[in-house]
Amino acid sequence: MNILKKFIDLLVESLSDNRKLIIVMAVLFVVCFIGAWIFSSDSVSSSVDQIQNMSASSPGMDQGTGPVELFINNEVGGILTYVGSIFFGIFAVVSLVYNGVNLGLFGQLFSQLIPNGGIRYIVYLIPHGIFELSATILQSAAGIMLFLFIWRFARALLSSEIHGVSEAFEKTKKVLIQSLIIMIFSTILLLIAAPIEAYISVPFSDLLVGT
């Protein structure tokens, strides 16, 4: 229980200390999602005839995929985003923009392919998206925090006021620890999201909006 309490305390502190960064990343994701949905209307329309033969039974692109596969896919993507962000945090931003745009494009696609497709798509996303999309945003924020640690560590190491690697690390390790805590929390969110996406999201969408 002490370990759990310490983790929760560290998590609350990490989220609080980096809330501005997390909010910025969340806003970026939402803007990309909405922008792609709205402004892709013409381009998606021109492609609809070519994809009419795709299954329109539900908006669940991962329907039939098990929770383990969903979790592994999302977790690997998150880890790659985190590690790749050592290069000036660019990968974190690109990954978040890609996910937002990709989901927005699918929204526009389903809205044109299926009756009430846009509403069904949103309803489909809600149950697992609360956890999965939150994890995606947090993973990108953690990636930027990893880059900030490397940047601050390098500056501290080159500073005449710091003596040695251990002192430089001690001075800058907080942001690294916080980024790891947020990554662990993101993994927990993805563990929750995977079975919901596999077993609940599609039936939930069908129940509320119809098949």
Side-chain angles (χ1 to χ4, degrees):
M1 292 300 293
N2 288 335
I3 295 177
L4 178 59
K5 184 179 184 304
K6 185 173 182 180
F7 174 78
I8 293 174
D9 291 342
L10 284 171
L11 176 61
V12 170
E13 180 186 48
S14 300
L15 294 175
S16 177
D17 287 352
N18 299 280
R19 61 185 179 278
K20 291 182 180 179
L21 172 61
I22 295 170
I23 290 172
V24 168
M25 301 304 282
V27 169
L28 175 62
F29 176 85
V30 171
V31 168
C32 291
F33 176 78
I34 295 175
W37 189 317
I38 294 173
F39 295 110
S40 66
S41 177
D42 292 339
S43 59
V44 170
S45 294
S46 64
S47 305
V48 165
D49 291 339
Q50 304 173 20
I51 53 179
Q52 285 290 346
N53 60 341
M54 70 183 294
S55 174
S57 60
S58 74
M61 295 306 294
D62 289 311
Q63 188 177 17
T65 304
V68 174
E69 295 169 271
L70 290 170
F71 169 73
I72 291 174
N73 180 65
N74 291 327
E75 181 66 10
V76 169
I79 292 173
L80 290 175
T81 295
Y82 180 72
V83 175
S85 297
I86 61 175
F87 301 106
F88 304 99
I90 294 173
F91 202 82
V93 176
V94 170
S95 176
L96 196 65
V97 170
Y98 171 80
N99 280 297
V101 169
N102 194 45
L103 288 175
L105 289 173
F106 273 114
Q108 180 61 240
L109 176 64
F110 281 111
S111 69
Q112 297 191 33
L113 280 175
I114 310 171
N116 297 319
I119 297 174
R120 292 184 62 196
Y121 181 69
I122 293 296
V123 173
Y124 159 78
L125 284 178
I126 289 173
H128 68 276
I130 293 171
F131 303 99
E132 184 179 319
L133 300 182
S134 296
T136 299
I137 292 166
L138 290 174
Q139 286 167 339
S140 289
I144 291 179
M145 292 165 63
L146 175 62
F147 165 69
L148 289 176
F149 160 73
I150 294 172
W151 175 258
R152 292 171 184 175
F153 175 76
R155 288 184 61 186
L157 196 60
L158 295 173
S159 173
S160 58
E161 299 176 359
I162 302 297
H163 306 288
V165 174
S166 59
E167 186 177 348
F169 179 77
E170 192 66 27
K171 185 177 178 62
T172 58
K173 68 179 182 180
K174 182 178 180 180
V175 68
L176 173 63
I177 293 172
Q178 289 184 340
S179 73
L180 292 171
I181 291 294
I182 289 177
M183 282 297 293
I184 293 171
F185 180 56
S186 297
T187 297
I188 295 171
L189 292 177
L190 291 177
L191 280 169
I192 297 171
I196 295 176
E197 182 174 4
Y199 302 124
I200 297 175
S201 291
V202 171
F204 179 73
S205 174
D206 291 342
L207 177 65
L208 292 188
V209 187
T211 56

